[in-house]
């Protein structure tokens, strides 16, 4: 089970899987956890608890809980979940190696594969390779638990990242996604890194803190053909007073000017965002300023969430005074505006030709031969194609219709 962000860094290598299957001979189930929102934490905790009965009946089943639940301040996971064999916090992949070394002599039969029933979209079969360039965060936004569970910022050296990219099978992966809690504060310079990457057709990066989005990064995206015109820039709120209480370090107007600058240098750039509704003390009028800025900016997509208290954060000392019912009403209203704005943004693409990375067969049939891929702006496009060998290829598609979360189109001049 995966309830985790794209920056979850534990990626067992083939070598490690080899040890699990052939030497340990046990079923090792990984449960990836996220504690950024209470809802995600509760789901992960409920799932881990639910495995207790299964584990007592199956001696070959070993459980490894990974991610931010393991390092959440005030949570003693070993007491809460005594049936779990291994806890691996963020950036602690060595824990898995240690476990495998210690248990190397165990000899139990192999009998089933890993349950992987839900993913967050970080699906390697999308033909996109995810590469973490930095861990942790120094920003301490008042509502956010990430700096407490993932620690202070650490940037991987450029050479190490470039070496990892060199190992990528360029026939399988046409796109890489550079990840970090705030890639704009990558110690060795994100623009510098982008300029040094070669041999990959498309590069994206995420997440960008608006305050740290420099001209140098925008100029690098504008100048480098292999870097996609895509910016995930969480705004979080449309009201300056709330932004200040969130400790975001910018005003709504500064955010607007940043987006204007990006769009003036990179016309057609896709801008996506995150917003939180129901932050402590949020009035109806302040909430409306969030709706207003979503419309005014015209986000291509925007994740919406109702505020939930994260113990230990600065905001947890503020009264959580927006009633749940009001939070939910505001959340629904924000989602409606986001959907409408996304539809309008997508309609602007009708008639244009978009470069699509074909990543899957379309699950909802346009026809039996439908394929699915993503534009450089990360929008999903479905189109008909007779040739299944287009999977993993870059193709040109003319957009013929648009909904909020999907575009439809027709293949033009084949693959690149
Ligand atoms: S920038 Fe703020 S919201 Fe993002 S991870 Fe860091 S503290 Fe959390």
């Amino acid at each position: 089970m995966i309830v985790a962000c794209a920056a979850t860094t534990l990626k067992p290598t083939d070598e490690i899987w080899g040890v699990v299957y052939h030497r340990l001979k046990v079923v090792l189930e990984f449960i990836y956890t996220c504690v950024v929102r209470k809802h995600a934490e509760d789901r992960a905790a409920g799932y881990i608890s639910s495995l207790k009965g299964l584990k007592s009946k199956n001696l070959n089943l070993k459980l490894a809980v990974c991610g931010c639940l393991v390092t959440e301040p005030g949570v003693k996971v070993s007491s809460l979940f005594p049936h779990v064999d291994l806890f691996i916090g963020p950036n602690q992949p060595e824990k898995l190696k240690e476990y495998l070394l210690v248990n190397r002599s165990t000899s139990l039969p192999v009998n089933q594969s890993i349950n992987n029933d839900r993913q967050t979209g970080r699906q390697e079969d999308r033909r996109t390779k995810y590469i973490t360039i930095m861990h942790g965060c120094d920003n301490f936004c008042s509502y956010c638990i990430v700096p407490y569970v993932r620690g202070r910022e650490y940037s991987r050296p450029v050479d190490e990242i470039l070496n990892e990219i060199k190992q990528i099978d360029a026939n399988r992966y046409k796109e890489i996604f550079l990840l970090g809690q705030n890639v704009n504060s990558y110690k060795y310079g994100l623009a510098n890194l982008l300029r040094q990457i070669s041999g990959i057709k498309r590069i994206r990066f995420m997440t960008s803190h608006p305050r740290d989005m420099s001209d140098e990064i925008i100029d690098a995206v504008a100048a480098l053909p292999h870097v996609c015109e895509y910016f995930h820039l969480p705004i979080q709120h449309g009201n300056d007073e709330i932004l200040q209480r969130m400790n975001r370090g910018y005003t709504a107007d500064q955010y607007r000017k940043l987006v204007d600058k990006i769009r003036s240098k990179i016309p057609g750039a896709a801008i996506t965002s995150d917003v939180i509704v129901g932050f402590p003390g949020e009035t109806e009028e302040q909430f409306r300023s969030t709706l207003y800025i979503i419309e005014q900016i015209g986000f291509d997509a925007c994740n919406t969430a109702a505020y939930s208290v994260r113990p230990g954060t600065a905001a947890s000392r503020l009264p959580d005074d927006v009633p749940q019912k009001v939070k939910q009403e505001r959340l629904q209203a924000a989602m409606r505006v986001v959907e409408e704005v996304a539809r309008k943004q997508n309609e602007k693409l009708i008639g244009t030709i978009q470069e699509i990375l074909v990543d899957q067969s379309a699950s909802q049939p346009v026809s039996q031969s439908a394929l699915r891929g993503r534009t450089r702006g990360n929008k999903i496009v479905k189109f008909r194609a007779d040739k299944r060998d287009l999977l993993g290829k870059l193709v040109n598609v003319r957009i013929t219709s648009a909904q909020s979360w999907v575009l439809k189109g027709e293949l033009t001049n084949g693959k690149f």
Side-chain angles (χ1 to χ4, degrees):
M1 178 177 187
I2 301 179
V3 187
C5 69
T8 297
T9 53
L10 177 73
K11 294 174 194 162
T13 60
D14 290 347
E15 183 195 0
I16 288 177
W17 289 128
V19 175
V20 171
Y21 288 121
H22 303 302
R23 296 196 191 164
L24 290 183
K25 303 193 173 182
V26 297
V27 175
L28 188 55
E29 171 157 342
F30 288 85
I31 302 125
Y32 292 83
T33 62
C34 172
V35 298
V36 167
R37 292 182 196 141
K38 187 167 187 314
H39 177 65
E41 179 176 350
D42 290 348
R43 280 192 55 228
Y47 180 71
I48 298 165
S49 298
S50 76
L51 292 174
K52 200 169 184 178
L54 185 65
K55 179 121 192 300
S56 65
K57 289 185 205 137
N58 184 351
L59 293 177
N60 300 340
L61 177 64
K62 304 289 175 191
L63 300 178
V65 170
C66 317
C68 291
L69 183 63
V70 175
T71 47
E72 185 179 1
V75 175
K76 197 147 179 19
V77 280
S78 53
S79 308
L80 276 174
F81 311 114
H83 56 295
V84 170
D85 301 274
L86 174 63
F87 294 99
I88 307 170
N91 317 322
Q92 295 177 335
E94 73 284 356
K95 290 269 179 96
L96 178 58
K97 282 187 190 153
E98 284 163 17
Y99 175 82
L100 296 174
L101 281 171
V102 168
N103 291 278
R104 195 165 273 230
S105 60
T106 311
S107 181
L108 296 166
V110 180
N111 62 359
Q112 74 184 75
S113 63
I114 290 158
N115 170 21
N116 202 8
D117 68 348
R118 184 176 184 277
Q119 299 205 0
T120 58
R122 196 168 74 100
Q123 300 164 41
E124 300 278 334
D125 66 357
R126 277 185 46 195
R127 314 297 166 122
T128 298
K129 193 76 179 170
Y130 294 82
I131 296 180
T132 301
I133 63 168
M134 61 181 298
H135 309 289
C137 185
D138 290 348
N139 284 316
F140 291 91
C141 300
S142 66
Y143 53 85
C144 182
I145 201 165
V146 165
Y148 304 94
V149 292
R150 288 198 171 257
R152 307 306 292 261
E153 284 177 5
Y154 167 77
S155 296
R156 294 177 64 200
V158 172
D159 286 352
E160 190 181 298
I161 296 167
L162 294 178
N163 277 339
E164 185 178 344
I165 292 169
K166 268 193 208 136
Q167 311 300 321
I168 291 173
D169 175 359
N171 286 325
R172 174 166 171 78
Y173 297 106
K174 297 285 185 300
E175 182 177 86
I176 57 172
F177 220 130
L178 307 177
L179 298 172
Q181 255 76 37
N182 178 16
V183 289
N184 294 1
S185 65
Y186 175 64
K187 183 175 165 188
Y188 307 102
L190 180 60
N192 170 46
L193 177 64
L194 291 172
R195 283 192 290 265
Q196 292 193 57
I197 297 173
S198 59
I200 294 288
K201 297 268 187 189
R202 300 209 312 200
I203 305 173
R204 302 179 191 284
F205 53 85
M206 188 175 77
T207 294
S208 294
H209 193 298
R211 189 197 51 215
D212 299 326
M213 177 58 78
S214 65
D215 287 358
E216 196 190 2
I217 296 172
I218 299 170
D219 290 341
V221 177
L224 298 168
H226 55 297
V227 181
C228 292
E229 305 77 20
Y230 169 74
F231 295 83
H232 183 66
L233 275 173
I235 185 168
Q236 304 300 8
H237 210 278
N239 175 267
D240 289 347
E241 198 184 313
I242 301 266
L243 283 171
Q244 193 176 16
R245 291 216 303 275
M246 286 178 160
N247 194 30
R248 290 293 289 174
Y250 52 83
T251 63
D253 197 45
Q254 285 168 332
Y255 184 94
R256 275 187 207 99
K257 286 182 174 141
L258 173 62
V259 171
D260 287 348
K261 189 193 292 181
I262 292 171
R263 286 179 170 157
S264 71
K265 291 187 177 193
I266 311 170
I271 313 277
T272 60
S273 198
D274 302 336
V275 297
I276 296 171
V277 303
F279 189 77
E282 183 192 63
T283 64
E284 185 64 24
E285 193 185 346
Q286 288 170 330
F287 164 66
R288 299 237 152 249
S289 56
T290 294
L291 296 186
Y292 177 67
I293 205 161
I294 293 170
E295 283 191 296
Q296 194 188 34
I297 298 280
F299 289 121
D300 292 273
C302 182
N303 301 312
T304 50
Y307 172 76
S308 60
V309 181
R310 299 289 62 211
T313 60
S316 70
R317 296 191 285 278
L318 301 171
D320 185 18
D321 54 2
V322 179
Q324 269 309 320
K325 185 168 174 292
V326 175
K327 280 185 192 171
Q328 287 310 314
E329 286 166 1
R330 290 179 184 174
L331 183 61
Q332 294 303 317
M335 286 163 69
R336 282 194 296 274
V337 172
V338 164
E339 192 167 343
E340 177 63 10
V341 168
R343 185 182 58 75
K344 284 183 185 161
Q345 288 295 105
N346 281 351
E347 283 174 351
K348 292 179 189 169
L349 298 181
I350 294 175
T352 64
I353 293 176
Q354 298 288 319
E355 176 198 284
I356 309 297
L357 173 57
V358 185
D359 55 17
Q360 289 181 15
S361 302
S363 50
Q364 292 302 315
V366 174
S367 77
Q368 279 295 321
S369 56
L371 291 176
R372 204 198 84 151
R374 290 194 183 242
T375 65
R376 292 173 66 89
N378 212 30
K379 293 168 188 276
I380 294 172
V381 179
K382 291 180 183 175
F383 60 98
R384 292 168 191 264
D386 295 332
K387 293 183 188 161
R388 312 304 291 176
D389 69 353
L390 291 182
L391 268 174
K393 303 284 191 309
L394 289 163
V395 299
N396 276 334
V397 170
R398 180 178 290 104
I399 304 302
T400 54
S401 69
Q403 297 166 2
S404 298
W405 309 125
V406 68
L407 299 154
K408 287 182 186 166
E410 57 195 19
L411 206 54
T412 58
N413 64 345
K415 61 191 178 185
F416 279 57

